[in-house]
Amino acid sequence: MAGDYLVDPKPPPNLNIPESTCTVQVSIIDSTSRFELNIAPFLQPDIKGKTKLTCPAFSFLIEHASGKKILFDLGVRKDFENLAPHIVEMAKKGGWIVNTVKNVSEIISENGTEPKDIDAIIWSHLHWDHTGDPSTFPNSTDLIVGPGFKEAFIPAYPKNKDSPLLEHDWEGRNLREVYFEEEGNGLKIGRFNAMDFFGDGSFYLLDSPGHAIGHMCGLARTTSSPPTFVLMGGDACHHGGEFRPTEYLPLPTSISPSPVPKLHKGFCPGALFQQVQPDKKADVPFYHIAEGFAHDKKVATWSIHGVEEFDAADNVLVAIAHDDTLLDVLDFYPNTLNHWREKDLSNKVRWTFLRDFAEAVEEQE
């Protein structure tokens, strides 16, 4: 394997995922949300040619053997202008371009799953591009949030005029906050405190703090023998270059399909991208978090390193919420992701983000 990479990879740490024969059915939903933001306030350093984050916002449908169905994140609500005034004003000042064609509730209804069939919505965190519109689900659908949420964000708008959230999103429904230390019984998966959601090892919530108060990832077991998993990364990272390459997964010597087909058809040398990596290193990510973006930059960076460890495991598919490179590769709802490994989807998508640096590579040539 060493000859396949520009530098020798280090063995990744053991994730210590408990054994189980129980799985869930996982579908990734293209929520139809699309938005465009300047990249500089979010990720640094500047890399020539990459000035915008052009993002989808993914949701996940998790179906348990018991018949229970849950959604992990909801993308952006269709009527974006009806978000809390604080967020709408921020979007205007920032020049955000935001468009959503359908709410997730509409998408699942069109494919045979009614909103009343959803037992719970899990917000990876509180931000507007993940919370969607819970009011399109009945009050029988619980809303599950991460640690610290209630203390930090209740009351919400209109009781708190400056809140980024709407009180209406949880009024009349069970708002459940996850307490990892109590509910997880000391369970750790990778570096993260974890909670076995269904109690059978099929789906875990991971305490992945830093980006926002209460941020969580989801880890779904997609097959049992051999065990495979999908990590729903939320906003632990925002771009592939934020958690790739790493010391466990350096740039390969040859990349196929070529991220720069104008220069190299079929495949291209990984060394081209090492030259545009800000530190000229093959085992360090291209980006780091910009100052002032994360709730706690140091802790958020720690969580990113945790995602890197999952990404280095060949039986884990990492799907962060805004990774536009997934759109052309993954099987989207109503299809499922459970056979992602058989289809080699992780390898097909892993280095696709490098296409964002085509202009920088062309300048080097």
Side-chain angles (χ1 to χ4, degrees):
M1 287 282 288
D4 296 335
Y5 298 96
L6 295 177
V7 296
D8 290 342
K10 294 182 179 179
N14 193 329
L15 298 174
N16 294 312
I17 304 173
E19 293 183 4
S20 174
T21 59
C22 299
T23 62
V24 286
Q25 182 171 288
V26 180
S27 300
I28 182 171
I29 301 172
D30 179 0
S31 71
T32 73
S33 302
R34 299 290 187 272
F35 49 96
E36 183 177 289
L37 311 170
N38 291 327
I39 195 171
F42 303 97
L43 301 176
Q44 285 291 323
D46 293 331
I47 298 176
K48 186 175 180 60
K50 182 61 177 174
T51 60
K52 303 284 186 181
L53 278 175
T54 51
C55 301
F58 300 129
S59 171
F60 294 84
L61 175 64
I62 299 108
E63 302 179 73
H64 187 254
S66 65
K68 289 184 179 295
K69 295 179 175 68
I70 59 176
L71 286 165
F72 187 88
D73 279 341
L74 294 178
V76 184
R77 62 186 292 156
K78 183 168 65 174
D79 56 342
F80 176 83
E81 67 279 3
N82 287 326
L83 281 165
H86 173 78
I87 297 299
V88 177
E89 186 63 25
M90 186 183 299
K92 290 178 180 177
K93 288 181 178 179
W96 302 353
I97 299 173
V98 182
N99 182 52
T100 301
V101 178
K102 297 177 181 179
N103 286 319
V104 166
S105 57
E106 296 174 72
I107 297 170
I108 62 173
S109 292
E110 291 169 357
N111 291 279
T113 299
E114 295 302 324
K116 65 180 176 60
D117 299 329
I118 301 299
D119 294 275
I121 296 162
I122 300 170
W123 280 350
S124 65
H125 62 297
L126 73 136
H127 289 158
W128 58 275
D129 48 333
H130 297 259
T131 55
D133 187 357
S135 74
T136 59
F137 295 83
N139 286 351
S140 57
T141 301
D142 291 350
L143 181 59
I144 300 174
V145 295
F149 179 94
K150 290 183 177 181
E151 181 180 356
F153 302 112
I154 295 178
Y157 185 86
K159 294 177 183 175
N160 177 0
K161 301 296 185 184
D162 297 323
S163 174
L165 294 168
L166 299 170
E167 196 97 7
H168 183 59
D169 284 344
W170 55 80
E171 279 182 333
R173 73 177 73 246
N174 180 31
L175 178 64
R176 175 185 166 194
E177 183 172 321
V178 177
Y179 301 97
F180 283 92
E181 291 185 5
E182 298 173 19
E183 298 180 74
N185 297 315
L187 176 64
K188 276 186 177 290
I189 298 179
R191 62 178 59 198
F192 301 122
N193 291 328
M195 188 265 277
D196 188 343
F197 189 84
F198 292 112
D200 61 5
S202 62
F203 180 67
Y204 300 94
L205 290 177
L206 307 181
D207 185 11
S208 45
H211 171 67
I213 292 173
H215 188 281
M216 301 184 291
C217 294
L219 181 68
R221 191 184 304 267
T222 44
T223 59
S224 59
S225 183
T228 61
F229 304 87
V230 170
L231 179 73
M232 303 160 202
D235 273 3
C237 304
H238 290 76
H239 186 276
E242 200 177 355
F243 63 101
R244 296 174 184 140
T246 64
E247 59 185 350
Y248 315 119
L249 199 65
L251 284 170
T253 55
S254 178
I255 302 169
S256 178
S258 173
V260 284
K262 282 175 58 179
L263 294 177
H264 297 272
K265 294 181 179 179
F267 68 91
C268 71
L272 292 178
F273 293 95
Q274 183 175 353
Q275 292 308 305
V276 301
Q277 198 278 341
D279 299 312
K280 302 292 190 291
K281 292 184 177 180
D283 56 358
V284 174
F286 285 77
Y287 286 124
H288 58 77
I289 302 168
E291 290 293 337
F293 174 43
H295 171 69
D296 186 319
K297 181 179 178 180
K298 182 177 180 180
V299 176
T301 301
W302 177 87
S303 287
I304 291 171
H305 293 327
V307 173
E308 294 170 0
E309 293 164 3
F310 278 88
D311 192 49
D314 64 3
N315 65 339
V316 179
L317 171 68
V318 173
I320 57 175
H322 303 308
D323 188 351
D324 65 338
T325 67
L326 304 182
L327 289 168
D328 300 328
V329 179
L330 298 192
D331 297 323
F332 281 84
Y333 182 73
N335 298 314
T336 74
L337 274 181
N338 286 60
H339 301 292
W340 67 265
R341 195 179 191 187
E342 293 175 27
K343 299 180 179 181
D344 199 31
L345 298 182
S346 184
N347 286 326
K348 288 177 181 177
V349 80
R350 176 164 286 130
W351 301 111
T352 307
F353 76 90
L354 293 170
R355 68 190 183 189
D356 287 346
F357 309 136
E359 186 174 337
V361 167
E362 290 173 12
E363 188 176 68
Q364 291 289 326
E365 292 277 275

